[in-house]
Amino acid sequence: GQQLNQSPQSMFIQEGEDVSMNCTSSSIFNTWLWYKQDPGEGPVLLIALYKAGELTSNGRLTAQFGITRKDSFLNISASIPSDVGIYFCAGQPEKRFGAGTRLTVKP
Amino acid sequence: NAGVTQTPKFRVLKTGQSMTLLCAQDMNHEYMYWYRQDPGMGLRLIHYSVGEGTTAKGEVPDGYNVSRLKKQNFLLGLESAAPSQTSVYFCASSSPRTGDYGYTFGSGTRLTVV
């Protein structure tokens, strides 16, 4: 099946810093989705991308659907302690998820 | 609006025992999914359903069975539990036919097989 590589695996940053994470695929996806998971909870959808080249923002979050349709990135600006969690990318229609990026924010 | 509800939240099984995990959604979503989450491996699809009465295998279906007798419910069964099935199980639903491919997840079932 298609491989979905997410990096980095983990990040330790200072409050106020910007964060960038990305996902790459061995094949083309039609849709990229970014989720956040808080401890003990299920993932929650942050941003959905449906077109190659699309750049979408949700507050301090910005995500882009790569032109080749094989990659996507998520940026978080001016991080705050509540940004802590695991961030997942997912591709459709293959229903696959990346392994996640665990974000730790130090106050 | 409850969204996606999973029961139970926690369960400990002995090897060889059977159990059923229940997922219920109240959003009239057509698609439903079962994933398992293991450390460092993200979410892996076990089975999914694109409508009432239909099911399909995902990436890791062995040892599990599913049923979707009603649109709002999706059941995951373990006939003979094994320690390798110790995991956190998440149910999700979506409505791609309306153009919305995002999933709504339940809060998970933590299963330990001893």
Side-chain angles (χ1 to χ4, degrees):
Chain A
Q2 295 184 356
Q3 297 299 311
L4 221 172
N5 300 307
Q6 185 172 351
S7 64
Q9 278 189 320
S10 60
M11 302 183 74
F12 296 84
I13 62 170
Q14 205 73 37
E15 182 177 358
E17 290 183 352
D18 296 343
V19 172
S20 184
M21 60 191 78
N22 70 82
C23 272
T24 59
S25 167
S26 56
S27 299
I28 290 171
F29 282 152
N30 295 331
T31 303
W32 283 98
L33 304 159
W34 286 93
Y35 294 83
K36 183 196 178 195
Q37 184 179 30
D38 291 324
E41 298 294 329
V44 173
L45 182 66
L46 298 174
I47 292 178
L49 302 159
Y50 296 106
K51 293 196 303 186
E54 180 181 356
L55 185 72
T56 298
S57 293
N58 178 6
R60 293 178 295 105
L61 279 60
T62 302
Q64 184 159 26
F65 193 143
I67 290 291
T68 64
R69 296 171 63 190
K70 293 184 180 181
D71 63 335
S72 177
F73 72 76
L74 175 70
N75 285 346
I76 305 173
S77 63
S79 59
I80 58 178
S82 62
D83 290 334
V84 165
I86 304 176
Y87 292 79
F88 291 101
C89 63
Q92 294 289 345
E94 285 69 24
K95 310 175 188 59
R96 285 186 175 264
F97 282 74
T101 295
R102 184 179 294 273
L103 179 64
T104 302
V105 180
K106 293 177 281 189
Chain B
N1 223 359
V4 177
T5 303
Q6 290 183 235
T7 53
K9 294 192 182 302
F10 303 92
R11 185 73 186 269
V12 178
L13 284 181
K14 292 183 179 179
T15 297
Q17 285 185 320
S18 63
M19 78 163 294
T20 300
L21 283 67
L22 174 64
C23 177
Q25 54 98 359
D26 62 0
M27 298 168 289
N28 202 33
H29 284 174
E30 302 93 1
Y31 287 33
M32 297 186 74
Y33 316 82
W34 277 106
Y35 284 86
R36 59 177 289 173
Q37 183 176 28
D38 301 293
M41 301 189 72
L43 293 142
R44 292 183 294 167
L45 182 64
I46 304 171
H47 286 280
Y48 66 100
S49 168
V50 301
E52 182 178 324
T54 71
T55 63
K57 293 181 180 179
E59 182 184 358
V60 289
D62 294 342
Y64 306 95
N65 57 77
V66 288
S67 65
R68 182 115 181 256
L69 299 179
K70 293 183 179 180
K71 185 177 184 179
Q72 63 268 34
N73 296 336
F74 196 30
L75 279 61
L76 177 71
L78 286 73
E79 290 186 348
S80 179
S84 61
Q85 294 177 305
T86 293
S87 187
V88 181
Y89 291 85
F90 286 99
C91 176
S93 69
S94 70
S95 185
R97 293 175 193 164
T98 64
D100 182 2
Y101 286 81
Y103 291 2
T104 300
F105 280 89
S107 57
T109 295
R110 185 173 294 275
L111 175 66
T112 302
V113 183
V114 297

